[in-house]
């Protein structure tokens, strides 16, 4: 979904809720997606788990959509998509390069056809949206606001950021090293330990797109391209341990 300039201005003028109020819509899709996989994987088939993930998380995104800041920014959204495509391919290359030494050469069990395509749909269409909204859309900007509050000498920078600030007040593309590193570390911790190095570097790549393009659209596009191209790679070459 691409918003017009007027849409962006209206959303930013209406969505001035404090960060505490925005935490649920930004975080809920991420944690529900993880929770469905963690809690139900032992009781339901892989196919059923991914059907639930797609359905429930898509419903949550639809419910929360008006509370999100626009995915687009001040730059041309078409260019952001064009830049996101090669960035996503680069992300796939980095992911494979940095993950392969930690997973070994022994091939993992291949997925069923239905399981593969359901996971592909989830990874390509749903995951990039909620992960980029939460990681670069909320956490990066929250960390930046916290750092600014801390430097201003406030008595309780975290409380001030949580209860008095809104991430929607942050201009697109704003960043600091603490914000980039913090969002990348949290993104890393959301993956398995063998994936930590690859996930951390990938988080830095996504933060770079946020800074350069000043929007989340380039990040979402790149993330989708990475997930889809990685799925095609592991299926083509049988390297299921990388997925």
């Amino acid at each position: 979904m691409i918003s017009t300039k007027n849409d962006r201005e209206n959303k930013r003028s209406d969505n001035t809720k404090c960060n505490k109020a925005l935490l649920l819509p930004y975080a809920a899709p991420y944690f529900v997606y993880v929770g469905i996989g963690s809690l139900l994987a032992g009781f339901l088939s892989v196919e059923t788990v991914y059907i639930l993930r797609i359905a429930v998380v898509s419903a949550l995104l639809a419910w929360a959509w008006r509370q999100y800041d626009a995915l687009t920014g001040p730059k041309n959204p078409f260019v952001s998509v064009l830049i996101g495509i090669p960035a996503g391919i680069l992300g796939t290359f980095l992911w494979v390069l940095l993950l392969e030494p930690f997973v070994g050469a022994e091939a993992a069990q291949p997925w069923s056809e239905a399981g593969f395509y359901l996971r592909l749909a989830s990874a390509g269409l749903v995951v990039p949206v909620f992960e980029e909204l939460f990681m670069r859309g909320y956490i990066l900007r929250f960390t930046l606001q916290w750092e600014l509050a801390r430097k201003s000498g406030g008595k309780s920078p975290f409380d001030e950021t949580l209860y008095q600030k809104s991430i929607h007040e942050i201009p697109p593309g704003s960043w600091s090293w603490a914000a980039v590193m913090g969002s990348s570390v949290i993104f890393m911790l959301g993956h398995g330990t063998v994936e930590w190095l690859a996930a951390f570097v990938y988080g830095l790549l996504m933060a770079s797109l946020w800074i350069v393009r000043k929007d989340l659209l380039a990040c979402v596009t790149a993330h989708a391209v990475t997930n889809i191209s990685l799925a095609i790679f592991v299926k083509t070459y049988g390297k299921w341990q990388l997925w």
Side-chain angles (χ1 to χ4, degrees), residues 90-192:
L90 172 62
T92 303
F93 173 79
L94 291 172
W95 188 272
V96 173
L97 178 69
L98 297 173
L99 178 58
E100 198 159 24
F102 296 96
V103 296
E106 184 177 349
Q109 188 70 21
W111 287 55
S112 68
E113 284 294 303
F116 171 81
Y117 286 110
L118 283 167
R119 182 174 177 180
L120 176 62
S122 174
L125 301 175
V126 181
V127 172
V129 177
F130 72 74
E131 278 201 331
E132 292 309 318
L133 280 167
F134 186 41
M135 296 297 168
R136 262 57 67 176
Y138 189 92
I139 292 174
L140 188 151
R141 289 188 284 185
F142 184 96
T143 306
L144 175 59
Q145 284 186 317
W146 167 81
E147 185 182 14
L148 294 173
R150 182 180 60 82
K151 288 182 176 179
S152 69
K155 292 184 178 179
S156 182
F158 184 83
D159 286 349
E160 178 184 337
T161 304
L162 186 63
Y163 295 104
Q164 299 177 29
K165 302 291 185 180
S166 172
I167 59 168
H168 295 166
E169 298 167 347
I170 294 292
S174 300
W175 68 286
S176 70
W177 284 113
V180 169
M181 297 299 286
S183 61
S184 299
V185 167
I186 293 176
F187 179 72
M188 175 191 79
L189 294 175
H191 293 76

Side-chain angles (χ1 to χ4, degrees), residues 1-229:
M1 180 180 293
I2 298 176
S3 303
T4 65
K5 181 178 179 181
N6 288 336
D7 290 336
R8 295 197 302 270
E9 291 174 350
N10 290 336
K11 289 186 78 173
R12 287 186 182 120
S13 63
D14 294 340
N15 283 356
T16 54
K17 293 181 178 179
C18 72
N19 289 328
K20 181 177 182 292
L22 291 171
L23 180 59
L24 180 63
Y26 274 91
Y30 179 90
F31 286 105
V32 168
Y33 185 90
V34 173
I36 291 173
S38 300
L39 300 175
L40 301 180
F43 303 96
L44 301 175
S45 67
V46 168
E47 293 81 2
T48 304
V49 166
Y50 274 97
I51 289 171
L52 283 174
R53 279 176 153 177
I54 293 170
V56 175
V57 174
S58 295
L60 281 173
L61 287 170
W63 161 74
W65 195 257
R66 290 191 62 82
Q67 300 182 69
Y68 297 142
D69 202 5
L71 294 181
T72 51
K75 296 188 175 185
N76 189 317
F78 181 69
V79 176
S80 290
V81 171
L82 289 181
I83 290 176
I85 293 170
I89 295 172
L90 172 62
T92 303
F93 173 79
L94 291 172
W95 188 272
V96 173
L97 178 69
L98 297 173
L99 178 58
E100 198 159 24
F102 296 96
V103 296
E106 184 177 349
Q109 188 70 21
W111 287 55
S112 68
E113 284 294 303
F116 171 81
Y117 286 110
L118 283 167
R119 182 174 177 180
L120 176 62
S122 174
L125 301 175
V126 181
V127 172
V129 177
F130 72 74
E131 278 201 331
E132 292 309 318
L133 280 167
F134 186 41
M135 296 297 168
R136 262 57 67 176
Y138 189 92
I139 292 174
L140 188 151
R141 289 188 284 185
F142 184 96
T143 306
L144 175 59
Q145 284 186 317
W146 167 81
E147 185 182 14
L148 294 173
R150 182 180 60 82
K151 288 182 176 179
S152 69
K155 292 184 178 179
S156 182
F158 184 83
D159 286 349
E160 178 184 337
T161 304
L162 186 63
Y163 295 104
Q164 299 177 29
K165 302 291 185 180
S166 172
I167 59 168
H168 295 166
E169 298 167 347
I170 294 292
S174 300
W175 68 286
S176 70
W177 284 113
V180 169
M181 297 299 286
S183 61
S184 299
V185 167
I186 293 176
F187 179 72
M188 175 191 79
L189 294 175
H191 293 76
T193 53
V194 296
E195 299 175 325
W196 276 5
L197 178 59
F200 178 74
V201 172
Y202 194 82
L204 295 178
L205 176 63
M206 293 300 101
S208 299
L209 285 174
W210 160 256
I211 295 165
V212 171
R213 291 306 303 164
K214 302 183 186 303
D215 63 30
L216 289 175
L217 180 60
C219 303
V220 171
T221 302
H223 204 144
V225 169
T226 295
N227 287 353
I228 292 170
S229 58

